Amino acid sequence: MQELFDDLIDYLKGIWIKRRYIIVSTWLLCPIGWGVVSMMPDVYESQARVYADTESILAPLLKGLTVQTNTDTQINLMVKTLLSRPNLERISRMTDLDIQANTSKEYEKLIERLKDNIQITKARGRDNIFTISFEDKDPEMAKNVVQSSLTVFIENTLGENRT
């Protein structure tokens, strides 16, 4: 233990002796780093946490199956349902993103971007708590996409429970 303490003291003395070089190098490197950081675009992330009772949501869908399904399988089914093409089109209409697309090719890119950037993750240690998140350059758009995703998720859940 004493050797470790002595080594630490030696390192600190070396740093104190070379402090001028350290100060000069930080004065040269920090403005470069600040410039790089200031050039980076702003990215805003919006998140929503939702509790999903997988037993009641998927019971009508899985009715008639003889095998009891795994909770992870049910979660993957919910994620695939939320990120399906019709739901992504509904999200794009609800957030008015579809107005920005002038051609069908741009619309396809928009749907693909939504599919890639809407993240649905399961909370650690919790079985049925999910986080829906989306990142965008516009903070209002990030919020609207997450809100629309949550609305579509709830509407799908209510529709399944009603049937």
Side-chain angles (χ1 to χ4, degrees):
M1 185 68 178
Q2 184 64 30
E3 292 177 12
L4 185 63
F5 185 68
D6 291 339
D7 287 342
L8 181 64
I9 295 296
D10 287 341
Y11 286 129
L12 291 175
K13 285 180 182 177
I15 290 171
W16 185 254
I17 291 170
K18 304 286 185 182
R19 68 184 178 272
R20 290 184 192 112
Y21 299 117
I22 294 170
I23 290 173
V24 168
S25 63
T26 55
W27 275 100
L28 292 175
L29 291 177
C30 283
I32 294 170
W34 293 332
V36 169
V37 169
S38 68
M39 298 293 285
M40 294 172 67
D42 294 333
V43 177
Y44 298 94
E45 180 181 18
S46 181
Q47 291 184 347
R49 287 192 180 180
V50 63
Y51 173 78
D53 186 10
T54 56
E55 297 301 321
S56 66
I57 292 173
L58 295 176
L61 288 175
L62 301 175
K63 191 175 174 183
L65 290 177
T66 58
V67 179
Q68 184 65 21
T69 57
N70 187 358
T71 306
D72 292 332
T73 306
Q74 292 175 347
I75 291 166
N76 288 337
L77 182 61
M78 289 170 47
V79 169
K80 284 182 183 178
T81 303
L82 183 61
L83 296 179
S84 65
R85 173 94 183 182
N87 287 338
L88 290 173
E89 288 175 353
R90 283 179 61 196
I91 291 169
S92 71
R93 282 191 303 273
M94 291 170 77
T95 58
D96 292 334
L97 282 171
D98 59 341
I99 296 172
Q100 297 174 359
N102 295 326
T103 63
S104 61
K105 196 175 213 180
E106 289 177 2
Y107 187 69
E108 292 298 322
K109 286 181 181 179
L110 173 74
I111 296 296
E112 196 63 34
R113 179 178 156 243
L114 284 175
K115 186 175 185 177
D116 292 340
N117 291 342
I118 295 176
Q119 300 294 321
I120 302 171
T121 55
K122 184 177 173 183
R124 293 181 189 154
R126 304 283 175 101
D127 286 337
N128 297 335
I129 296 181
F130 302 95
T131 302
I132 300 173
S133 62
F134 184 76
E135 291 182 354
D136 196 67
K137 294 177 183 177
D138 181 21
E140 192 67 29
M141 185 56 66
K143 179 186 130 302
N144 290 341
V145 168
V146 170
Q147 183 66 41
S148 299
S149 301
L150 192 58
T151 302
V152 167
F153 180 77
I154 291 171
E155 287 175 357
N156 287 345
T157 303
L158 289 176
E160 292 299 326
N161 286 341
R162 289 180 186 158
T163 58

